[in-house]
Amino acid sequence: HRDLHSFPTRRSSDLSLSQGVLAQAAGMAFGSPEWKAGTAVLAQEQLITGGGPGTDDVIQPVHDRFRDVIIGALDGPARKEVHRRIALALEETGETRKDRLARQWLSAGEPERARPYVHAAAEEAREKLAFERATQLYENALELESDLGARAGLLCEMGSSLAASGHSSRAATAYLQASRCSDSQHGLDLRRMAADQFLRGGSIDQGMAVIRQVLGEHGLRLARTPGLASLAVALRQIGRASCRERV
């Protein structure tokens, strides 16, 4: 779903904006008579809270329902235009919150402009050890990405976040999906990682199935018992020693 209503926010105030951004998005000069009159009316009607003397001071609706009513009163094109103006204002004022920029571009119906911000927001969350949030953001990024190589990278990063948060089976599935978008060597490493996560999560049958598949592709078989595995290793070592003696 390209507008990604499930795009995660950390708290309600994540959607609040500074006066400078709002003024720029509205096409007004901050502190102008037009700006002061407009915000005064909204404050008098108890529709907004916050504000102050500086452009960095935040204004927000008194209640989220007011925001929803205002947004709901706009038709689709008008709503997208509002989000587009806010996104441009955020970029021009140097907004560092990648998730904010991503949300505004997505709401503006411009997924291509949102895509790098979604990916960056996911990486930021993972670096801060917010693995559950990072996973959500990687899922959002995957919805926007069609390039196989980029998808492989996102799936691998999502697998790492899932593994770090204890979701072993989901991590294994992400690694397997990534392996299908990767070259043979990298795909082999990803399937090994998938098998490891399946086994760690107690999905023994699935883990062993992946191991058998990988071994089969290289002309090898998994020994049925530990004793047979030890014997196979010993025979291989003997065979290598015999080859060296012949040389």
Side-chain angles (χ1 to χ4, degrees):
H1 197 281
R2 287 304 175 120
D3 59 4
L4 299 182
H5 291 303
S6 62
F7 193 88
T9 55
R10 282 175 279 190
R11 52 191 178 274
S12 178
S13 59
D14 279 355
L15 302 179
S16 301
L17 298 167
S18 71
Q19 296 185 118
V21 168
L22 288 171
Q24 187 165 337
M28 300 181 186
F30 174 72
S32 66
E34 185 182 15
W35 170 263
K36 290 179 178 178
T39 53
V41 170
L42 292 172
Q44 186 175 1
E45 295 294 329
Q46 297 184 341
L47 296 175
I48 60 171
T49 185
T55 57
D56 291 334
D57 291 319
V58 170
I59 284 182
Q60 60 184 0
V62 172
H63 197 285
D64 285 346
R65 288 186 180 178
F66 293 154
R67 187 200 322 268
D68 295 339
V69 168
I70 294 169
I71 292 175
L74 299 173
D75 61 21
R79 189 181 308 125
K80 288 181 179 180
E81 177 61 18
V82 168
H83 287 294
R84 189 186 71 83
R85 289 187 180 188
I86 292 173
L88 288 171
L90 286 170
E91 286 183 338
E92 291 175 15
T93 55
E95 173 63 56
T96 58
R97 284 276 303 279
K98 307 304 183 187
D99 54 340
R100 281 191 171 199
L101 286 158
R103 172 177 279 280
Q104 293 300 331
W105 281 122
L106 287 171
S107 298
E110 299 196 34
E112 290 300 315
R113 299 190 73 161
R115 183 170 57 186
Y117 291 124
V118 179
H119 191 180
E123 290 181 334
E124 286 179 356
R126 190 173 60 149
E127 288 170 3
K128 293 177 181 178
L129 307 184
F131 298 118
E132 297 284 353
R133 177 177 172 79
T135 297
Q136 285 182 287
L137 288 163
Y138 281 126
E139 288 173 343
N140 293 149
L142 283 164
E143 290 193 41
L144 301 171
E145 187 58 71
S146 58
D147 179 76
L148 285 180
R151 286 185 64 82
L154 290 169
L155 284 163
C156 187
E157 291 167 359
M158 187 171 78
S160 297
S161 293
L162 286 165
S165 57
H167 298 292
S168 299
S169 293
R170 290 178 63 195
T173 299
Y175 287 139
L176 284 178
Q177 290 175 337
S179 72
R180 300 185 188 108
C181 305
S182 306
D183 58 47
S184 57
Q185 183 55 53
H186 191 209
L188 178 63
D189 292 339
L190 288 167
R191 282 187 288 171
R192 176 190 59 76
M193 294 163 67
D196 178 64
Q197 287 300 315
F198 275 134
L199 295 174
R200 287 175 183 270
S203 301
I204 306 302
D205 291 342
Q206 289 172 283
M208 297 306 291
V210 174
I211 291 172
R212 289 191 184 94
Q213 182 185 25
V214 171
L215 290 174
E217 291 176 6
H218 290 77
L220 302 172
R221 287 190 307 170
L222 187 66
R224 290 191 298 273
T225 66
L228 288 174
S230 299
L231 178 59
V233 172
L235 290 172
R236 182 166 297 179
Q237 293 298 327
I238 294 169
R240 289 175 179 171
S242 299
C243 289
R244 285 196 294 270
E245 288 174 4
R246 292 193 190 99
V247 173

